[in-house]
Amino acid sequence: MILIHTADWHIGQHFFDYERIEEHKIFFNWLKKTIKEQQGDVLLVAGDVFDSPNPSAESQRVYYHFLREVTTENPNLQIIITAGNHDSAARLEAPNPLLEEMNITVRGVVKRDMSGDIDFQNLLVPLKKNGETYAWCIAVPYLRQGDYPNAENYSKGVAMMYDVLYNEVGKIKEPTQAVLAMGHLQATGSEISENDRSERSIIGGLECVSPEVFDKKDLVYTALGHLHKAQRVSGREKVRYAGSPLPMSFAEKNYKQGVNLIELKENRLERLERIEFSSPVQLLSLPKEPKPLTEILTEIAKLPDGEITSTSPFLELKILITEPEPSMRHQIEDALQGKVVRLARLAPFIPKGEREMKTITYEELKTINPLEMAEDVFKNKYGSNMPENMKRLLQSVIQEVEL
């Protein structure tokens, strides 16, 4: 059995002010081709299908168009989708009666029976080949408080959830059948993106789940979502994040996008490999180290000329701010005219000046010259002395106020 593991599509995401629908369409066309070439039997989507719990009509259209096309082109393909923290679990599950006709299973809501007990069986999905159950998938969506058995904290509750599910699947599986798990969580020892809010756990480190949860005898692979960098967890080859198909921020510009391919032979893992996808839009971050505006303008002049398209590179400019420059953005936008890049982010860097902190009395405060105070603030903020013309203007304002 061949399985493809992907996650964190974030359909509908805006890269700063730019839509990414066309990028997602390119990825989905590539994914359809990959599934066909690899003769995939199962597609595992480990959460964050959409970037928002209330996705736009266009985002939903792209999603359902992909599902219809990929199942039409691959009639025997089975798809398992779990909800992530960015998804609305109920919205994702709503079309289940229709999707099940296409051999698509969506798990977003942790259901409970009439007694209020968790319906663990609903999260156990048989993976079929030629009409026969070949393996089992523990399909766990992103777990919110109240979704897991009672425990003293979140991580222990999640661990208990997987323990119970593993025991339950053990009661129904045949010895020749493998077990896989899915999850949308942050595993201890995994690497998160720098300055990327979409990956941050809601309650910080308390939400980290130990990868030891997945150290089970018959658990041959764990397909994780939530973190955008493709990686194995704490050296565990069989516990992996697929990563996002598109970089979600400039912090992710050097990540390798793609999917994980898993091949099962009866109840064991036969093959595990990475299939890379080349993101259609390049992320440029210039220069390597922050520089003053004049040097930034020189860097811009070196960029290639051309017409802007939906796949033109996104540009981040790192600017060293040593003094106020009200016309900075205007100068940059003028310099970018005719350049084949899309300005996404201006990242200001202000040098840290040394500041001596001391306590002063009210009487001492009244004796301080306002100009000297302004000069001190300017130096601490920009790391340099206030320009003479600015001092003259400020002094004239002070004199007018004092009259």
Side-chain angles (χ1 to χ4, degrees), residues 71-222:
T71 51
T72 300
E73 294 175 11
N74 304 273
N76 296 320
L77 180 68
Q78 182 178 3
I79 302 178
I80 314 293
I81 301 170
T82 57
N85 59 301
H86 280 245
D87 298 310
S88 165
R91 180 189 290 273
L92 207 62
E93 276 202 5
N96 260 352
L98 295 175
L99 295 178
E100 286 170 356
E101 296 295 321
M102 301 161 65
N103 205 14
I104 300 172
T105 302
V106 180
R107 292 292 179 261
V109 178
V110 177
K111 300 184 184 300
R112 292 179 179 269
D113 60 24
M114 297 295 291
S115 303
D117 296 324
I118 295 173
D119 182 0
F120 294 106
Q121 297 299 318
N122 185 57
L123 300 177
L124 304 179
V125 182
L127 303 180
K128 295 183 179 293
K129 188 176 178 70
N130 300 324
E132 300 292 330
T133 298
Y134 194 94
W136 287 87
C137 179
I138 301 174
V140 182
Y142 174 73
L143 297 174
R144 293 174 169 83
Q145 290 190 4
D147 285 341
Y148 45 81
N150 290 331
E152 60 181 279
N153 58 43
Y154 181 86
S155 59
K156 290 186 177 180
V158 173
M160 191 179 300
M161 182 78 160
Y162 278 98
D163 285 344
V164 174
L165 286 165
Y166 180 76
N167 290 333
E168 288 297 313
V169 78
K171 298 175 184 177
I172 56 177
K173 82 174 197 72
E174 298 294 332
T176 56
Q177 295 170 347
V179 179
L180 298 93
M182 297 177 70
H184 193 89
L185 49 83
Q186 181 179 337
T188 307
S190 53
E191 183 179 343
I192 62 176
S193 306
E194 180 184 1
N195 300 323
D196 192 339
R197 292 183 179 180
S198 64
E199 284 189 343
R200 302 293 164 178
S201 298
I202 295 173
I203 50 177
L206 295 178
E207 267 203 348
C208 288
V209 176
S210 171
E212 293 178 2
V213 170
F214 308 112
D215 292 342
K216 309 295 186 184
K217 180 183 176 183
D218 296 325
L219 193 55
V220 298
Y221 183 79
T222 301

Side-chain angles (χ1 to χ4, degrees), residues 285-292 295-296 299 318-320 349:
S285 188
L286 298 174
K288 289 185 178 180
E289 298 296 332
K291 292 182 179 179
E295 296 185 47
I296 294 293
E299 293 273 353
K318 295 184 284 188
I319 306 172
L320 184 65
F349 289 80

